[in-house]
Amino acid sequence: MNFKKRFKFKKSSGGDIGILFTYFILAMIGVVMIYSASMVSANNGALTNGVPISDKYFIKRQFIYFCIGSLVVITMSYRVNINVFQRKEMQQVILTVVLALLVITLLFGSEINGSKNWLNLGIVNIQSSELLKISSILYLSYIIDRRLRAGSHFNLSSLVSPLLVLGFGIMLILIQGDLGGALLNSAIIAFMLLYSDIKNKIKIQIFSITALPMIIYLVYTLLFDAQNIYRMKRIKVVANPFLYENGDGYQLANALLAIGNGGFFGKGLGNGIMKLGYLPEPHTDFIFAVISEELGLVGVLVIIAMYAFITFKGVIYANKTSNHFYKMICIGISSYIFMQVFINLAGISGLIPLTGVTLPLLSYGGSSFLSISIALGILLATSRKINKELKQ
């Protein structure tokens, strides 16, 4: 029997295989490193307010996030038509839901580590600020594409309303106390505007108008807001963390010690010392310090190279296409990955104050992992369309 004739197997081309493969490698490294970082601390209750739990608690949960995220990425890479996000109705639904979640989080959310940015939905806690990154990329891509495709030389006024909507979302994140998340969202929008085909005159007008309120907010927050005065302490600590190692510099000083302990090849998987009570969040914000100590400089460079590969792939696809919507999506997601990795690594290594921004795909957490998975799924779906476009 000729099975090929009897059953018609349709080969479905997906998104960029290199990005997809790198996603899985990073995610699997994340699962392993989260177990290494949390197994001892979980057993002695250091990560759960003194309540001992199974050493496999965090790896089991992260593996579930990995499975869900992988399903999302594969489905979007092979099945989702990215053009569905060019529909006005779709954009309105996504943005409305995300902004509504931000408002609900502000009103009824849980406060963790000084930020009220977690919403308990019963079976899961979500960080709604993570969703704003994706919705901002999609919405701004849609707006810029629609304006440029119309062939009109639009002015500043045509971008005011969309930017005010996104600014409202960022303001909600700031009120929640998540300065790192607000800066990350702002940076993504800034990169997209800079790369776009909007006239330079309009770009200058936008940045001039938005710079003043941002400066005023930062000055007020850092100097006069008593509830956020700890941020000034973080800035002070960056200059010399070991001078404050028994107080405000405790986290950064131990993170730097972990990085230094790793040397060239590291102490070996599972053999790190600083995760044993010296790093407050070894499986989340400080996962990079654990990786540095156990895998050394070689392991760190390999991981950074994988992030760089995904980022540059996105930029390459943006330069390949003439479609403004595809171009903006690629740049937006590349900016998302680059800025989140930079802010985390720069904070852990003492180049900038600690912000609480996680390391994509490697830090423990469902909201962060699923957010970056959706973003990379969108990038893969877009790369599939661009490749198809180039073949025609």
Side-chain angles (χ1 to χ4, degrees):
M1 183 182 294
N2 192 330
F3 285 96
K4 287 186 177 180
K5 290 183 179 180
R6 187 172 181 82
F7 301 101
K8 294 181 179 180
F9 293 97
K10 184 180 179 181
K11 185 179 180 181
S12 177
S13 60
D16 187 281
I17 192 66
I19 296 176
L20 185 61
F21 179 75
T22 307
Y23 164 83
F24 280 112
I25 295 298
L26 278 171
M28 287 187 287
I29 291 174
V31 171
V32 173
M33 291 310 304
I34 285 167
Y35 179 60
S36 176
S38 65
M39 56 181 179
V40 176
S41 297
N43 256 333
N44 61 32
L47 303 176
T48 49
N49 298 319
V51 180
I53 56 175
S54 168
D55 62 335
K56 297 180 178 63
Y57 175 82
F58 291 104
I59 187 177
K60 285 179 179 178
R61 293 175 70 88
Q62 189 67 18
F63 185 72
I64 292 172
Y65 302 144
F66 168 71
C67 292
I68 297 172
S70 299
L71 182 62
V72 168
V73 166
I74 293 172
T75 301
M76 297 193 76
S77 178
Y78 285 89
R79 295 299 177 190
V80 172
N81 184 353
I82 196 64
N83 292 333
V84 73
F85 296 110
Q86 286 185 289
R87 297 176 185 172
K88 182 179 179 180
E89 297 79 10
M90 179 64 76
Q91 290 291 337
Q92 289 175 335
V93 169
I94 293 173
L95 206 56
T96 301
V97 170
V98 171
L99 291 176
L101 284 173
L102 285 170
V103 172
I104 294 170
T105 301
L106 184 62
L107 297 174
F108 307 104
S110 303
E111 186 171 327
I112 300 176
N113 295 329
S115 297
K116 193 178 180 180
N117 56 356
W118 290 92
L119 184 62
N120 189 342
L121 298 181
I123 58 174
V124 66
N125 290 328
I126 67 167
Q127 197 172 7
S128 50
S129 59
E130 292 287 344
L131 299 176
L132 184 64
K133 301 170 192 173
I134 300 170
S135 60
S136 295
I137 292 169
L138 290 174
Y139 181 61
L140 194 56
S141 299
Y142 162 75
I143 291 296
I144 292 174
D145 173 64
R146 192 173 68 169
R147 299 289 193 271
L148 293 175
R149 270 195 302 119
S152 58
H153 298 290
F154 59 91
N155 52 30
L156 178 62
S157 61
S158 60
L159 284 174
V160 169
S161 295
L163 290 177
L164 282 176
V165 172
L166 296 179
F168 175 68
I170 293 172
M171 183 188 70
L172 291 174
I173 296 175
L174 282 172
I175 296 172
Q176 292 172 4
D178 185 5
L179 181 60
L183 290 174
L184 182 54
N185 276 278
S186 300
I188 292 169
I189 294 170
F191 274 113
M192 292 178 70
L193 289 172
L194 283 171
Y195 188 86
S196 71
D197 291 329
I198 299 171
K199 286 184 176 180
N200 289 332
K201 178 182 177 181
I202 298 177
K203 293 177 184 177
I204 294 171
Q205 289 174 336
I206 292 171
F207 289 115
S208 299
I209 292 171
T210 55
L212 182 59
M214 288 180 67
I215 292 171
I216 292 173
Y217 172 81
L218 287 173
V219 171
Y220 169 77
T221 300
L222 296 176
L223 297 181
F224 303 107
D225 190 347
Q227 293 182 345
N228 295 305
I229 203 69
Y230 70 92
R231 288 176 183 151
M232 278 300 293
K233 294 179 180 178
R234 288 186 178 184
I235 294 174
K236 178 181 65 176
V237 162
V238 168
N240 189 351
F242 293 100
L243 188 63
Y244 309 96
E245 61 180 321
N246 293 321
D248 297 320
Y250 178 80
Q251 298 180 2
L252 182 55
N254 284 317
L256 292 174
L257 286 173
I259 294 171
N261 286 344
F264 199 72
F265 294 106
K267 290 182 173 294
L269 185 62
N271 294 328
I273 297 171
M274 302 308 292
K275 66 187 180 184
L276 305 177
Y278 300 100
L279 291 172
E281 300 286 345
H283 61 314
T284 56
D285 299 355
F286 290 89
I287 192 75
F288 175 72
V290 178
I291 292 171
S292 299
E293 186 176 18
E294 298 190 355
L295 303 185
L297 179 62
V298 173
V300 166
L301 290 177
V302 169
I303 288 172
I304 291 176
M306 286 191 278
Y307 283 130
F309 174 79
I310 296 175
T311 302
F312 283 116
K313 267 288 190 175
V315 175
I316 289 169
Y317 276 111
N319 289 327
K320 279 184 177 181
T321 182
S322 58
N323 185 300
H324 295 293
F325 184 66
Y326 300 161
K327 188 187 296 286
M328 287 295 95
I329 284 179
C330 291
I331 287 299
I333 294 172
S334 293
S335 303
Y336 175 5
I337 297 165
F338 170 75
M339 284 306 302
Q340 186 148 336
V341 171
F342 171 78
I343 291 173
N344 179 274
L345 299 193
I348 300 301
S349 56
L351 297 177
I352 63 173
L354 294 168
T355 59
V357 172
T358 58
L359 193 57
L361 299 177
L362 296 183
S363 292
Y364 171 78
S367 293
S368 176
F369 188 89
L370 295 179
S371 174
I372 198 70
S373 295
I374 293 169
L376 288 176
I378 292 171
L379 178 60
L380 286 165
T382 306
S383 71
R384 186 178 81 239
K385 278 291 184 181
I386 293 173
N387 287 331
K388 186 177 180 181
E389 179 186 79
L390 293 174
K391 289 178 181 178
Q392 293 177 347

